[in-house]
Amino acid sequence: MASKMLQFVKTEKQMPTKRTADERARDFDEIYKDFSKQSAEEQASRCSQCGVPFCQVNCPLHNNIPDWLMLTAEDILQEAYEVSSATNNFPEICGRICPQDRLCEGNCVIEKGFESVTIGAVEKYITETAFENGWVKPAAPIAERAESIGIIGAGPAGMSAADMLRRQGYQVTIYDRYDRAGGLLIYGIPGFKLEKDIVERRAKLLADGGVTFKLNCNIGTDISFSEIRAQHNAVLIATGVYKARDITLPGAGLDGVVPALSYLTASNRKSLGDDVPEFDSGDMNAKDKNIVVIGGGDTAMDCVRTAIRQEAKSVTCLYRRDKANMPGSQREVQNAEEEGVDFQWLSAPQAFVGDDHVDGVLAQRIHLGRADETGRQVPQVIEDSTFKLEADLVIKALGFDPEDLPAMFDEPKLRVSKWGTVSIDWKTMMTDMPGVFAAGDIVRGASLVVWGVRDGRDAAERIHSYVQAELAGETKAVG
Ligand code: FAD
Ligand code: SF4
Ligand code: SF4
């Protein structure tokens, strides 16, 4: 074992410096600064190089974390980058936005009484150093292949699959209905978690490596799915989930009651310098308004923190369970609290009030009752507990479901689950339609970027096997 490791006894856990809440509320830049070389080496050296590294087991990509921590501690960074990028197409993105407290770091088994190694921040440091030194290169396949693969969706699942397939020499085209590549990385997740040039840098690298992007191209509207299928040896569906779950309460149709993703997309577009009429008109802008966000997941946290940065008069989050039961990352809740968000735990909306435009939310207090069959305590309304919150803009962040893909693609044969997610054979990652694969949120339901990357990589491998088997079959038939 390297002598530099096992420093957790002497060296305390440190996160990269976080900008003060006051400072970060004034812009959309990331809130964490980069590790200095010295901090990254010191923090990496805290790892005890476990025989069975639970950090690695609980990383969806099974990143070889102990090895790249040791290489960082020893300042062998190019090798650290090679190890880290061997299992992850976008380590600098995962290092920034994975909920590490639930994945790698939450499962770090450094000795009791010592806090976990700061894995995500070191992963980001390694890859940013690699970019600075020109070690991150576009795909350069040893030989070109004639076969082509069509990928629908330029989110993390589609982009990681494209990267893997292009490296194998396939002709890869990604179609996306948006005008920029990145999916939710670009239009969902706000810049204070992931600055947009980080995503654009990856899209450019793919294009420089020979991946063709066809943007502003909605499959099912601009080009039919069957046309895409006919053009390629295999097709990957990586379209994500975009149908906002709605709320059926009195007043839900009032102006000023808006879905979270429309609100976040307007804000992200504004930061990217686009013309955004719905932002400029004030409809999707929190400035000087009382904002109420409904929900307790990561999307709700992104909305409340965006509203703070847009200089809202007040920002309240209504969530029907308590803090311990929030589905969102605790780290993000803490960031929101520091930035001045008022959390009304154990509270649920009862009605939205106003004439044409919302001006308030009636809410009720909740008591958590007995656990149901899933083990979660059931929220129960406390009688006569109604209270009113002033609200000029109400943002609904209640989760997402898939759109009706068989209808959208005019492919009734495309089998979906009862939730509308595309059904695949997990061994082959193929749908019921031969040569049509699926990956990411459209298969799992709303999930995480790191799972999108994992699925994209797995799908690329299975597509390669499928295409090669098809080619072998053709050769045999001709012979
Ligand atoms: P997406 O990223 O949704 O990409 C799908 C792409 O398909 C889109 O670009 C879309 O335009 C395109 N598309 C869809 N239909 C068509 C069509 N018919 N024709 C052409 N193109 C089409 N995860 C984390 O790990 N950490 C976080 O901090 C985090 N924060 C989040 C915050 C918000 C607000 C949201 C909404 C999600 C967040 N997530 C986070 C989840 C994460 O963003 C998703 O799990 C991930 O992006 C899914 O990747 P994907 O490639 O499957 O789909
Ligand atoms: Fe942790 Fe995510 Fe990196 Fe895996 S990809 S090591 S879970 S930050
Ligand atoms: Fe190092 Fe923690 Fe992983 Fe063990 S679990 S190898 S201490 S990072």
Side-chain angles (χ1 to χ4, degrees):
M1 174 159 324
S3 58
K4 285 208 171 173
M5 304 309 285
L6 279 160
Q7 300 300 317
F8 62 91
V9 185
K10 287 190 261 163
T11 309
E12 282 189 4
K13 173 180 177 165
Q14 217 186 51
M15 285 292 287
T17 315
K18 196 158 53 163
R19 296 193 296 137
T20 64
D22 268 358
E23 188 195 340
R24 60 196 204 231
R26 278 183 250 127
D27 60 45
F28 280 84
D29 297 346
E30 286 176 14
I31 70 165
Y32 291 101
K33 298 191 175 166
D34 294 335
F35 261 152
S36 65
K37 180 172 182 299
Q38 187 191 347
S39 304
E41 285 176 17
E42 274 173 11
Q43 290 301 306
S45 73
R46 295 181 68 245
C47 168
S48 63
Q49 300 283 285
C50 303
V52 181
F54 283 101
C55 55
Q56 180 169 6
V57 174
N58 286 283
C59 163
L61 293 161
H62 301 314
N63 283 340
N64 190 344
I65 299 164
D67 276 13
W68 47 253
L69 286 173
M70 187 175 73
L71 290 161
T72 304
E74 296 190 336
D75 193 19
I76 310 175
L77 279 178
Q78 190 160 2
E79 217 172 298
Y81 169 68
E82 270 151 31
V83 175
S84 119
S85 60
T87 48
N88 190 352
N89 301 72
F90 312 127
E92 76 288 6
I93 294 178
C94 293
R96 283 170 164 89
I97 60 166
C98 271
Q100 287 104 8
D101 46 353
R102 301 206 304 257
L103 301 171
C104 52
E105 293 179 20
N107 289 283
C108 169
V109 288
I110 223 167
E111 245 168 83
K112 228 174 166 201
F114 296 94
E115 285 196 279
S116 68
V117 177
T118 45
I119 298 168
V122 174
E123 190 176 23
K124 171 187 164 193
Y125 168 79
I126 294 169
T127 320
E128 288 303 333
T129 308
F131 271 109
E132 275 162 32
N133 286 284
W135 303 332
V136 188
K137 299 261 188 327
I142 298 165
E144 291 292 338
R145 295 176 195 268
E147 298 75 41
S148 83
I149 315 296
I151 297 178
I152 309 173
M159 295 221 301
S160 55
D163 190 20
M164 301 307 285
L165 288 160
R166 183 63 203 127
R167 289 190 216 175
Q168 298 254 31
Y170 287 100
Q171 308 309 308
V172 179
T173 304
I174 307 190
Y175 305 86
D176 202 292
R177 62 185 173 191
Y178 287 156
D179 54 348
R180 291 183 175 89
L184 288 172
L185 299 177
I186 205 103
Y187 287 134
I189 299 172
F192 49 82
K193 277 164 55 180
L194 175 66
E195 286 173 14
K196 301 301 154 194
D197 54 349
I198 305 296
V199 184
E200 289 171 332
R201 180 171 67 180
R202 277 292 170 186
K204 181 174 183 308
L205 213 67
L206 287 182
D208 289 349
V211 171
T212 304
F213 283 93
K214 292 209 168 146
L215 300 175
N216 296 307
C217 181
N218 195 340
I219 304 308
T221 308
D222 299 320
I223 309 181
S224 69
F225 180 80
S226 57
E227 215 175 308
I228 295 290
R229 179 65 193 95
Q231 278 175 27
H232 300 285
N233 294 72
V235 168
L236 176 66
I237 302 173
T239 46
V241 290
Y242 284 86
K243 195 169 81 190
R245 283 192 197 137
D246 218 342
I247 196 163
T248 46
L249 287 179
L254 287 171
D255 286 347
V257 181
V258 303
L261 200 55
S262 309
Y263 171 70
L264 291 172
T265 303
S267 174
N268 279 320
R269 282 199 179 278
K270 196 70 197 169
S271 301
L272 283 156
D274 291 356
D275 246 358
V276 191
E278 66 274 27
F279 181 91
D280 297 335
S281 68
D283 290 352
M284 292 285 177
N285 183 350
K287 190 168 168 54
D288 298 330
K289 290 182 183 163
N290 294 305
I291 307 298
V292 174
V293 175
I294 297 167
D298 285 330
T299 303
M301 293 310 99
D302 288 350
C303 290
V304 288
R305 299 178 66 203
T306 296
I308 291 279
R309 284 158 177 78
Q310 290 176 349
E311 300 176 39
K313 201 195 288 177
S314 71
V315 183
T316 307
C317 178
L318 269 190
Y319 181 54
R320 63 190 182 141
R321 295 175 191 270
D322 55 10
K323 187 173 174 180
N325 284 292
M326 293 271 288
S329 154
Q330 289 295 325
R331 202 180 275 177
E332 296 306 306
V333 178
Q334 192 194 335
N335 287 332
E337 282 180 326
E338 288 167 7
E339 289 165 14
V341 175
D342 172 25
F343 282 89
Q344 292 287 329
W345 310 111
L346 295 165
S347 307
Q350 186 182 4
F352 305 108
V353 291
D355 292 332
D356 295 328
H357 198 284
V358 72
D359 60 31
V361 178
L362 293 181
Q364 291 170 307
R365 298 291 177 199
I366 299 289
H367 155 79
L368 289 181
R370 282 218 168 123
D372 63 12
E373 65 279 2
T374 67
R376 290 193 89 190
Q377 285 178 281
V378 178
Q380 291 166 347
V381 170
I382 300 175
E383 262 183 57
D384 299 326
S385 63
T386 301
F387 63 103
K388 186 178 173 187
L389 290 166
E390 278 187 59
D392 308 302
L393 185 62
V394 174
I395 302 169
K396 300 174 286 182
L398 300 156
F400 302 94
D401 290 315
E403 291 152 293
D404 183 350
L405 221 57
M408 200 159 104
F409 286 170
D410 194 18
E411 287 291 350
K413 278 202 293 284
L414 188 64
R415 192 164 60 88
V416 294
S417 71
K418 63 177 174 183
W419 301 280
T421 49
V422 172
S423 303
I424 57 168
D425 171 343
W426 277 99
K427 264 201 225 126
T428 61
M429 297 197 72
M430 196 149 76
T431 66
D432 279 1
M433 300 173 71
V436 177
F437 298 75
D441 278 7
I442 192 58
V443 176
R444 291 179 181 274
S447 177
L448 292 173
V449 170
V450 64
W451 280 112
V453 175
R454 167 72 197 265
D455 288 352
R457 293 174 66 87
D458 287 350
E461 202 184 296
R462 308 302 195 282
I463 288 171
H464 174 59
S465 304
Y466 167 82
V467 173
Q468 292 314 305
E470 288 288 297
L471 290 176
E474 276 168 28
T475 318
K476 218 163 142 192
V478 172

